[in-house]
Amino acid sequence: MRIGELSRRTNAPARLLRYYEEQGLIEPERLPNGYRDYDEYLVDRVIQIRGLLDVGLPTRIIKQILPCLDKPRTIHMPYATPDMIATLEHERDLMNEKIGCLTKNRDAIDAYLALVPLGPPEPGSGSGSGPVSEPEPEPGPVSEPGPGPVSGPRSAPGPVAEPVTATVTESEPVPVPEGDREAAGIGA
């Protein structure tokens, strides 16, 4: 298959596929006219490479373990050095940390979505717990930004949605980086 077909089937730009080739991660055959010819197995291989990169493995580690990967989720490793095992264990631990963080974020978003109303309250329905906000005035003429700082508040025109308050309880607290504590109004 040609590079365009592999790109379409893996959702990887052709330029990225050429980079994988330069890094020794994939090896297409070369036709007599010089065109690359990608074998069918490279569809799974490219998807696998992208998945490993997405979870944080560097290409140098991927290149070392690729010969051991026959198919996605199958590893055949007849031998491994202690350094390779230590590196893979470290990378696995980093992946587990990312998975834990992503899981907490997903759960928080799920809890928020479960409590957020689907649309603005109907006029006169009495729903909502906060004050009713007045619509903002129509925006004036738009001017092109010039050099220098912009002064004054910036806001989008249109009605302001009422804030939604949700209480989410978790078994363990989610760490908040120091810089975000002040912005979120969390005490030290």
Side-chain angles (χ1 to χ4, degrees), residues 106-173:
R106 182 207 55 215
D107 292 347
I109 289 171
D110 283 345
Y112 176 78
L113 289 173
L115 296 172
V116 174
L118 294 178
E122 295 295 324
S125 68
S127 63
S129 58
V132 177
S133 55
E134 294 295 322
E136 291 187 21
E138 289 295 316
V142 178
S143 61
E144 292 295 319
V150 176
S151 62
R154 301 183 73 171
S155 62
V160 177
E162 294 182 31
V164 174
T165 304
T167 304
V168 179
T169 58
E170 292 189 27
S171 57
E172 50 185 88

Side-chain angles (χ1 to χ4, degrees), residues 42-123:
L42 288 174
V43 172
D44 286 336
R45 177 58 52 100
V46 168
I47 292 169
Q48 189 172 48
I49 291 167
R50 294 194 71 186
L52 293 169
L53 287 168
D54 285 347
V55 297
L57 279 179
T59 55
R60 66 180 172 76
I61 299 296
I62 294 172
K63 186 175 180 179
Q64 290 177 351
I65 65 171
L66 270 180
C68 308
L69 304 174
D70 286 67
K71 306 181 226 185
R73 299 189 178 123
T74 303
I75 297 177
H76 297 285
M77 191 172 245
Y79 65 90
T81 64
D83 287 344
M84 173 64 88
I85 297 297
T87 299
L88 291 174
E89 287 174 341
H90 175 73
E91 294 296 333
R92 181 208 50 214
D93 293 344
L94 290 175
M95 286 180 208
N96 284 332
E97 287 178 21
K98 289 177 185 177
I99 290 168
C101 182
L102 289 170
T103 299
K104 287 178 183 179
N105 290 341
R106 182 207 55 215
D107 292 347
I109 289 171
D110 283 345
Y112 176 78
L113 289 173
L115 296 172
V116 174
L118 294 178
E122 295 295 324

Side-chain angles (χ1 to χ4, degrees), residues 10-25:
T10 59
N11 201 23
R15 184 174 179 172
L16 186 60
L17 297 173
R18 288 187 204 97
Y19 172 75
Y20 291 168
E21 183 182 357
E22 288 172 12
Q23 297 300 308
L25 301 176

